[in-house]
């Protein structure tokens, strides 16, 4: 029996910041999907979710629903509250919070994605999730040790309300981050693994802990 898991409205600020809505025909041109591992500290297991971004060609404002089905496990997710955004060249519909029961790891393998518009018309495609071999995800410390630099690093800074202030590529020291953003209360390193479909939010580093 397929289990239907519905996505909530909460969004990951790192991916949803600095976006603008658009009503620009619903046709899938590209899908980017990855497992997000959200580490609150160095020792606890991360919160796990699946984030999916669907690049579309046309009337993104009429996009209503994303369905995702694992072809290897009995899971099917449905998201009706989509984040829709554009930049100068692209238009995307996304959901950032598909989850498994009991915070389980998102299954690897082949997935079928269905994008539906306001008239019920559907467009289908597929994507694959995979995880690097010999990589430990149980804690932030284990991940850091096993990753061996096999990632792209980003830095996200936040104010006291948890609002994203900046998101930049590259590794920075706490001193450099807080000097550049005097309004930042904390920042997080964000690691995109190069050999797998994984994006890691590392534990927050607070200003008062570094002074």
């Amino acid at each position: 029996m397929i289990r239907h898991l519905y996505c909530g409205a909460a969004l990951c600020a790192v991916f949803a910041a600095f976006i603008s809505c658009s009503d620009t025909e619903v046709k899938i041109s590209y899908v980017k999907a990855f497992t997000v591992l959200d580490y609150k500290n160095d020792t606890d297991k991360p919160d796990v979710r699946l984030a999916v971004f669907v690049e579309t060609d046309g009337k993104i404002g009429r996009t209503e629903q994303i369905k995702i089905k694992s072809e290897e496990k009995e899971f099917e997710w449905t998201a009706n509250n989509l984040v829709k955004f554009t930049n100068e060249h692209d238009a995307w519909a996304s959901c950032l919070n598909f989850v498994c029961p009991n915070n389980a790891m998102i299954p690897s393998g082949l997935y079928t994605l269905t994008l539906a518009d306001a008239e019920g018309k559907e467009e289908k495609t597929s994507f694959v999730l995979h995880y690097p071999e010999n990589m430990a995800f149980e804690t932030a410390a284990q991940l850091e040790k096993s990753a061996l630099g096999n990632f792209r690093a980003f830095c996200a800074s936040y104010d006291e309300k948890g609002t994203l202030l900046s998101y930049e590529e590259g590794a920075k020291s706490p001193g450099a981050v807080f000097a550049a953003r005097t309004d930042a209360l904390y920042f997080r390193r964000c690691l995109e693994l190069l050999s797998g479909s994984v994006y890691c939010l590392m534990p927050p580093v607070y200003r008062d802990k570094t002074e």
Side-chain angles (χ1 to χ4, degrees), residues 129-151:
L129 283 181
H130 69 282
Y131 300 115
E133 295 182 1
N134 303 318
M135 186 76 72
F137 297 115
E138 288 293 304
T139 67
Q142 289 179 357
L143 170 68
E144 196 89 57
K145 184 176 181 180
S146 62
L148 299 174
N150 184 31
F151 53 78

Side-chain angles (χ1 to χ4, degrees), residues 62-74:
R62 296 182 60 79
T63 304
E64 292 290 323
Q65 186 182 81
I66 292 175
K67 290 183 180 180
I68 300 173
K69 179 182 178 182
S70 170
E71 297 299 333
E72 300 179 24
K73 301 290 184 180
E74 291 188 342

Side-chain angles (χ1 to χ4, degrees), residues 1-4 74-75:
M1 177 182 296
I2 293 177
R3 285 169 281 183
H4 294 266
E74 291 188 342
F75 287 118

Side-chain angles (χ1 to χ4, degrees), residues 1 4-5 9 27 36 39 43-44 52 67 88 104-105 109 114 117-118 137 142 145-146 148 152 156 189 193 196 210:
M1 177 182 296
H4 294 266
L5 308 175
K27 191 171 183 65
V36 178
Y39 295 94
T43 57
D44 290 339
V52 177
K67 290 183 180 180
E88 184 178 352
M105 197 69 170
T114 304
D117 67 13
F137 297 115
Q142 289 179 357
K145 184 176 181 180
S146 62
L148 299 174
R152 292 176 64 195
R189 295 171 60 232
L193 301 191
T210 62

Side-chain angles (χ1 to χ4, degrees), residues 175-188:
V177 173
F178 293 127
R181 297 294 316 203
T182 57
D183 51 349
L185 177 65
Y186 66 95
F187 76 92
R188 302 185 73 171

Side-chain angles (χ1 to χ4, degrees), residues 78-201:
T78 300
N80 295 306
N81 297 318
L82 306 181
V83 177
K84 306 168 189 179
F85 56 95
T86 65
N87 59 28
E88 184 178 352
H89 306 288
D90 307 308
W92 299 80
S94 65
C95 182
L96 311 178
N97 285 278
F98 294 115
V99 298
C100 284
N102 303 314
N103 198 39
M105 197 69 170
I106 305 297
S108 60
L110 179 65
Y111 286 78
T112 297
L113 182 146
T114 304
L115 185 69
D117 67 13
E119 298 176 352
K121 296 179 181 179
E122 295 182 344
E123 174 91 2
K124 293 180 182 289
T125 190
S126 61
F127 64 87
V128 175
L129 283 181
H130 69 282
Y131 300 115
E133 295 182 1
N134 303 318
M135 186 76 72
F137 297 115
E138 288 293 304
T139 67
Q142 289 179 357
L143 170 68
E144 196 89 57
K145 184 176 181 180
S146 62
L148 299 174
N150 184 31
F151 53 78
R152 292 176 64 195
F154 300 84
C155 181
S157 63
Y158 302 83
D159 65 15
E160 60 184 7
K161 296 181 179 179
T163 302
L164 181 66
L165 300 173
S166 64
Y167 183 70
E168 301 175 349
E169 185 168 2
K172 294 185 177 182
S173 68
V177 173
F178 293 127
R181 297 294 316 203
T182 57
D183 51 349
L185 177 65
Y186 66 95
F187 76 92
R188 302 185 73 171
R189 295 171 60 232
C190 309
L191 310 182
E192 182 179 353
L193 301 191
L194 300 179
S195 58
S197 314
V198 184
Y199 189 95
C200 306
L201 296 171

